[in-house]
Amino acid sequence: MAPKLFYFAVASVLVGYYLYIPLPENVEERWKVTFIDSTVRTIMSLIEFSEMTGIAHYVDITAILIPSGKAQPKSDENVTVTEETFHKVPVWLYVPKKSSNTRRRAVIYIHGGGFSMGSPDSYDFLTRLMAHRLNAIVVSVEYRLAPANPFPAAFEDAYAAAKFFLQKDVVDQYNVDPGRICVSGDSAGGNLAAAVTQQLQEDLEVKFKPKMQALVYPALQTIDLDTPSYRDNSNMAFLRRWNTIKYWSNYFTTDRSLREAMESNTHITLESNNLFKFANWSNLLTDDLKKDHVYRSPPKGKSKFLKKYPGITDPRAAPLLVDDERLTKLPLTYVLTCMYDVLRDDGFMYAARLKQAGVQVVHVHYDNAFHGMISLVTWPISLSLPPRMMNDYINWLNENL
């Protein structure tokens, strides 16, 4: 009897651990959020265990547990979907079947997934809906994934595809209005969309510039992983601090020492002091977000990581770190943030700096939402809030693009 009671107690503790999340009071469908998150947590724990024991790298085991990128594009009664190659980069191209008396609008969409997961297939619901609702051409970019392809591979692919599409003969081929093109993405894709938009503005070979950028809970900086949102939401549903740091570190290297330094926020030192002003949340966040948090200055000395992995402070990986002059060149910007998201403050800081630089910014904030929610729209992981968020996003594009 004693062994059975022991195993029952252990099982009860484990079940309790995975089912309990300290959810804020204003969260809708609390039990459903808890169930979905506990499932995600279980999968992530299996992935972490497999990596720690040497069974497989987390990317390989993730591909087994969460398969994506295997499907072929399928057309439907509203949209023709094909797989194309834009300057050696695979893309899924969505073309509405509905006729248009004028040139169409277009969205270049860059998917999320921590730079190491995701594909046009896993974002097919969103991009297909955008093409149909907007009656617009949608280009969904399939960039190379880390850690097999570390930075700057993802950026280079996203940029190459966007630059290819913005050529005169290409926009003419697809009957696109060159003055009505948006670059958009979520999470890691929001990072890439911001970086791509910055570089497109300065590329003299690109004659047609994006009319706008739309960034959905973007990851925008690597030098301070201890902002109030990283602190307050470190163990919040759907994206935890340790997951985020793993994605960041694996974007640059599989060297675990970088991940460990990022976890203690000691990977960047005072030698990069000139960059900290661009991500100083004590000056850029509103008082209600700062609360009683105290800004911590970077450690003294030199970082051994910057010489080995200079991409950490490269604006192509950390778009928030560009100077004000570069920001002034950017187009109309839409930023979506969620209160219970470790990346929340990145979006707030970018929106604040863009406004200071004179850029027109529309900042939409959901005070009861988590990271990644725009993807939770299909059974069995559907919630009631994500479709409203998606509709808000698409409606804004429809009104402004």
Side-chain angles (χ1 to χ4, degrees):
M1 176 65 78
K4 292 182 178 179
L5 286 174
F6 172 76
Y7 293 134
F8 177 78
V10 171
S12 298
V13 170
L14 289 175
V15 170
Y17 170 76
Y18 281 108
L19 287 181
Y20 175 72
I21 322 171
L23 292 178
E25 290 297 325
N26 64 337
V27 171
E28 299 178 6
E29 301 175 288
R30 297 166 64 85
W31 280 106
K32 197 167 186 180
V33 170
T34 300
F35 175 76
I36 296 172
D37 181 69
S38 64
T39 303
V40 172
R41 242 196 304 182
T42 301
I43 293 173
M44 296 307 296
S45 294
L46 288 171
I47 292 170
E48 185 74 4
F49 176 78
S50 299
E51 186 173 47
M52 289 177 62
T53 55
I55 296 174
H57 190 274
Y58 86 93
V59 170
D60 299 321
I61 196 69
T62 299
I64 296 172
L65 296 174
I66 313 174
S68 66
K70 305 298 182 183
Q72 296 298 312
K74 294 181 180 179
S75 302
D76 60 26
E77 67 276 13
N78 298 313
V79 183
T80 299
V81 190
T82 57
E83 187 170 14
E84 309 291 342
T85 301
F86 284 4
H87 195 69
K88 301 181 180 179
V89 178
V91 303
W92 280 23
L93 184 71
Y94 295 78
V95 180
K97 291 183 178 180
K98 182 181 178 181
S99 62
S100 176
N101 296 325
T102 60
R103 286 200 171 214
R104 297 185 191 273
R105 301 173 287 188
V107 179
I108 300 169
Y109 196 85
I110 309 173
H111 69 78
F115 305 106
S116 57
M117 298 180 290
S119 67
D121 172 33
S122 56
Y123 277 74
D124 180 66
F125 183 89
L126 172 61
T127 46
R128 185 182 298 269
L129 184 64
M130 290 168 63
H132 174 55
R133 290 262 306 269
L134 300 173
N135 197 23
I137 303 292
V138 175
V139 178
S140 185
V141 182
E142 186 168 8
Y143 54 86
R144 289 171 290 169
L145 300 176
N149 304 282
F151 173 82
F155 171 82
E156 289 175 342
D157 288 355
Y159 190 76
K163 185 173 179 178
F164 179 89
F165 184 72
L166 289 167
Q167 297 178 96
K168 184 180 186 307
D169 57 340
V170 178
V171 296
D172 287 347
Q173 176 184 350
Y174 296 112
N175 195 33
V176 168
D177 183 341
R180 303 178 73 189
I181 299 173
C182 173
V183 178
S184 185
D186 69 296
S187 193
N191 168 288
L192 294 168
V196 164
T197 303
Q198 287 179 0
Q199 187 142 323
L200 287 172
Q201 298 303 116
E202 300 181 350
D203 192 333
L204 297 179
E205 295 179 354
V206 178
K207 303 303 181 185
F208 301 142
K209 308 294 185 182
K211 179 182 180 181
M212 63 181 66
Q213 60 177 336
L215 315 177
V216 178
Y217 33 74
L220 297 170
Q221 58 89 24
T222 49
I223 66 172
D224 188 355
L225 306 180
D226 191 40
T227 67
S229 61
Y230 270 99
R231 298 175 192 175
D232 292 341
N233 302 315
S234 63
N235 197 40
M236 197 56 73
F238 304 139
L239 182 66
R240 287 160 174 79
R241 183 176 185 269
W242 71 269
N243 288 123
T244 309
I245 288 173
K246 173 182 279 192
Y247 295 142
W248 267 129
S249 63
N250 277 282
Y251 190 32
F252 304 108
T253 177
T254 54
D255 179 358
R256 288 188 66 92
S257 64
L258 174 61
R259 187 189 308 177
E260 292 167 359
M262 283 182 161
E263 287 174 350
S264 60
N265 208 40
T266 58
H267 58 297
I268 305 292
T269 61
L270 278 173
E271 66 180 303
S272 301
N273 193 46
N274 62 310
L275 297 176
F276 277 88
K277 62 184 178 183
F278 299 138
N280 187 332
W281 57 261
S282 66
N283 296 327
L284 295 169
L285 295 184
T286 55
D287 290 340
D288 61 317
L289 297 180
K290 289 187 288 188
K291 299 179 182 176
D292 56 352
H293 293 291
V294 177
Y295 182 79
R296 298 167 186 165
S297 299
K300 297 179 181 179
K302 288 190 175 182
S303 169
K304 67 178 182 179
F305 299 107
L306 286 183
K307 188 172 183 180
K308 292 180 68 175
Y309 313 114
I312 295 173
T313 56
D314 190 319
R316 295 175 300 169
L320 186 62
L321 303 186
V322 299
D323 59 33
D324 294 345
E325 183 179 356
R326 290 186 65 184
L327 291 182
T328 61
K329 302 174 184 178
L330 293 175
L332 169 64
T333 299
Y334 173 97
V335 179
L336 184 154
T337 56
C338 300
M339 177 61 77
Y340 306 121
D341 178 5
V342 293
L343 300 176
R344 177 198 69 202
D345 295 345
D346 284 17
F348 266 87
M349 288 190 288
Y350 200 47
R353 288 197 59 212
L354 287 170
K355 289 177 182 177
Q356 291 173 5
V359 176
Q360 185 179 354
V361 179
V362 175
H363 182 186
V364 178
H365 179 64
Y366 294 88
D367 63 2
N368 60 343
F370 304 92
H371 186 86
M373 289 192 78
I374 204 169
S375 299
L376 303 179
V377 292
T378 56
W379 188 90
I381 57 171
S382 57
L383 297 169
S384 60
L385 178 58
R388 302 202 300 267
M389 296 170 65
M390 182 182 293
N391 283 332
D392 291 346
Y393 162 70
I394 294 177
N395 287 339
W396 184 87
L397 289 174
N398 190 44
E399 293 170 4
N400 293 277
L401 184 58

